[in-house]
Amino acid sequence: MTKKTIAIVGTLAESLVGFRGELIKDMVAAGHTVYAFVSEITFTQQLRILELGATPIRYSLSRLGINPYQDIKTIHQLYKLFKQNHIDVSFCYFAKPVIYGTVAAKLAGVPLRVTKIEGLGRPFTLPPTGFSKKQKILQKIQVFLYRCALRFSHHLFLLNPDDKCDLIDKNNINTGQVHLINGIGLNLRHYQFQPSVTAPVRFVFIGRLLNEKGIWYYLQAAQALKEAGYRAECWVVGAPDQGRDAVSPALLKQKVHDGVIHYTGKVDDVRIPLKKSSVFVLPSYYREGVPRSTQEAMAMGRAVITTCSPGCKETVVHHKSGLLIPPHDPHALFNAMKMYIDHPEWIIQHGAMSHQLALHRYDVKKINKNIMRLIGLHTAPLSSATQNMLKTKRVNEAVKEASAEHIDE
């Protein structure tokens, strides 16, 4: 197998570093040249990408817009960048990069085109009142765009079987080989097992504070526990979101004042609140791939309460590693939390099983090696000396380019 020039095409540099960093490192370690295509980047994030061994390239993308002219400009820009950098493999993830990046790669004659869809997102998220007319229209538009782009994809990676059923099979979308993998995975040396706290029983929600992630249901269950006289603690970890479907900072402040929750805000290292917790709770009804936050909790040995929704249900063996509840059911969530208070031994037993599942399913090294093998990339790492030499060379070249382009904060 020969060494390849690979374009990892995403959106925010922050998410690329956080969720694609291990894959980039493994590709670079195997001798491949990696370009990280991002739409938003700061100077600090640029340096972090360079530290991974990749070269950052910024391109224009309207993540939330629906302007066809802007989208055509994005395709044309990516086309030119693929040609200019002699890309052998395009690896696109998230909806817009998958759609526009894959079309651009086809036009540019990129020999191997890989796509990765990590959940179907908001258009396919079923709210408690059912799909709205707007959602149904967005679903049709997104399916049409996927149909146009995925026909040019040689390999499509999905994280759960429901996405394959509801997107590919139900809509008869023609694409290349479809691969189901367990998730993006974790560095299990970073997220190591920690004994669970059982006194007091401490529940923790970690994530974006959006209703579709289940935060409102969690607050309702926490309120019910307090009113029923239980002394368990309910922690909320995450930054307030500005969207209209987010829980307001004022409500969080009131719940803290009333003694319903303990709110930490956003933390830089989620291992700290996880280490102090008993049970991880994610009552999400968002159309997830496989939630990263749940994988982190499992790796650290936490029992999990989550919903039977696509992506979430794959993380729990019911009554073995956690408890599954119906979506949109705060009473069921209250009962599940109550069961861990009444049976603290389950915290230890289910947490141990969670950890074993994470070791088996979510080792990022195994997942990355499998991805690279499936798409025909060389996987054997180069010697450390060769890796360091190549990394130094790429960093020096990229720093010169960055200085010329004046990429600022």
Side-chain angles (χ1 to χ4, degrees):
M1 296 183 186
T2 58
K3 308 300 188 296
K4 302 293 185 182
T5 301
I6 305 167
I8 306 287
V9 186
T11 53
L12 304 180
E14 182 180 17
S15 67
L16 181 137
V17 171
F19 299 141
R20 243 49 60 177
E22 294 292 333
L23 178 61
I24 289 172
K25 285 194 293 186
D26 288 342
M27 287 177 168
V28 170
H32 304 292
T33 299
V34 179
Y35 290 93
F37 284 59
V38 293
S39 59
E40 298 178 34
I41 189 170
T42 65
F43 183 72
T44 300
Q45 291 161 354
Q46 183 189 19
L47 294 179
R48 292 184 66 188
I49 290 173
L50 291 171
E51 289 172 357
L52 295 173
T55 301
I57 293 182
R58 184 164 54 189
Y59 72 101
S60 176
L61 175 73
S62 175
R63 288 192 300 124
L64 303 177
I66 52 174
N67 184 334
Y69 177 69
Q70 179 60 48
D71 294 337
I72 291 172
K73 285 180 62 178
T74 296
I75 292 172
H76 184 249
Q77 184 183 19
L78 287 171
Y79 162 82
K80 291 196 298 183
L81 289 169
F82 289 155
K83 297 284 281 188
Q84 176 184 324
N85 292 286
H86 309 289
I87 300 300
D88 300 311
V89 182
S90 61
F91 193 111
C92 305
Y93 65 94
F94 293 162
K96 281 201 169 185
V98 162
I99 294 165
Y100 305 130
T102 304
V103 171
K106 170 64 176 177
L107 294 173
V110 174
L112 180 61
R113 300 177 292 275
V114 182
T115 50
K116 194 160 180 264
I117 298 175
E118 301 175 359
L120 300 188
R122 186 161 289 144
F124 291 85
T125 294
L126 182 64
T129 54
F131 288 122
S132 66
K133 185 178 293 186
K134 179 181 178 181
Q135 277 184 295
K136 291 177 180 178
I137 293 172
L138 289 175
Q139 287 175 14
K140 290 180 179 179
I141 293 172
Q142 193 154 315
V143 166
F144 170 76
L145 293 173
Y146 274 137
R147 190 188 305 281
C148 294
L150 291 178
R151 60 195 294 257
F152 302 129
S153 173
H154 297 106
H155 297 272
L156 168 63
F157 288 93
L158 299 169
L159 304 190
N160 67 69
D162 292 280
D163 288 356
K164 180 178 183 297
C165 176
D166 294 341
L167 179 64
I168 305 301
D169 299 340
K170 187 178 294 184
N171 297 290
N172 295 313
I173 291 178
N174 181 34
T175 187
Q177 295 183 55
V178 178
H179 310 284
L180 287 175
I181 57 176
N182 289 326
I184 61 175
L186 302 169
N187 182 339
L188 296 177
R189 294 189 301 274
H190 185 73
Y191 296 95
Q192 295 185 352
F193 179 85
Q194 297 289 337
S196 298
V197 174
T198 56
V201 175
R202 186 174 290 140
F203 301 97
V204 62
F205 172 102
I206 301 176
R208 295 176 66 192
L209 305 186
L210 297 170
N211 289 337
E212 57 202 13
K213 288 287 186 177
I215 180 60
W216 174 235
Y217 298 135
Y218 180 68
L219 294 178
Q220 287 179 272
Q223 181 76 48
L225 285 175
K226 179 176 175 59
E227 291 175 356
Y230 290 99
R231 296 189 177 184
E233 296 180 8
C234 296
W235 285 28
V236 175
V237 180
D241 200 282
Q242 300 302 314
R244 62 184 178 86
D245 293 325
V247 170
S248 70
L251 178 60
L252 289 172
K253 186 176 180 180
Q254 184 62 49
K255 294 296 183 184
V256 171
H257 180 268
D258 294 343
V260 174
I261 63 167
H262 172 76
Y263 178 54
T264 68
K266 184 180 179 180
V267 298
D268 293 328
D269 189 348
V270 297
R271 293 175 300 175
I272 296 172
L274 282 173
K275 183 178 180 180
K276 298 175 181 179
S277 70
S278 311
V279 179
F280 176 78
V281 183
L282 185 69
S284 173
Y285 60 92
Y286 185 73
R287 194 61 193 256
E288 308 274 3
V290 174
R292 170 70 175 257
S293 58
T294 310
Q295 296 176 54
E296 293 166 342
M298 293 170 66
M300 293 187 66
R302 293 301 171 266
V304 174
I305 300 174
T306 192
T307 64
C308 300
S309 302
C312 292
K313 63 185 178 184
E314 278 72 30
T315 60
V316 168
V317 178
H318 190 51
H319 277 292
K320 297 286 187 180
S321 68
L323 298 175
L324 291 173
I325 61 171
H328 307 297
D329 194 338
H331 184 67
L333 177 57
F334 164 78
N335 284 334
M337 295 167 75
K338 179 177 175 294
M339 289 178 77
Y340 280 111
I341 299 171
D342 294 339
H343 302 278
E345 69 278 7
W346 289 9
I347 295 171
I348 305 299
Q349 295 166 5
H350 292 184
M353 175 60 78
S354 253
H355 177 66
Q356 291 302 314
L357 288 173
L359 294 180
H360 177 67
R361 297 177 179 176
Y362 304 131
D363 184 341
V364 73
K365 291 295 182 184
K366 294 179 182 177
I367 291 173
N368 288 346
K369 187 173 183 179
N370 187 43
I371 288 173
M372 293 168 68
R373 178 185 62 80
L374 287 170
I375 64 178
L377 290 181
H378 181 68
T379 60
L382 303 173
S383 68
S384 297
T386 303
Q387 288 185 46
N388 290 334
M389 180 187 69
L390 290 173
K391 181 177 179 180
T392 300
K393 180 182 177 182
R394 289 169 187 161
V395 168
N396 289 338
E397 291 174 350
V399 167
K400 288 180 182 178
E401 292 178 9
S403 299
E405 294 175 5
H406 300 289
I407 297 180
D408 301 315
E409 289 278 0

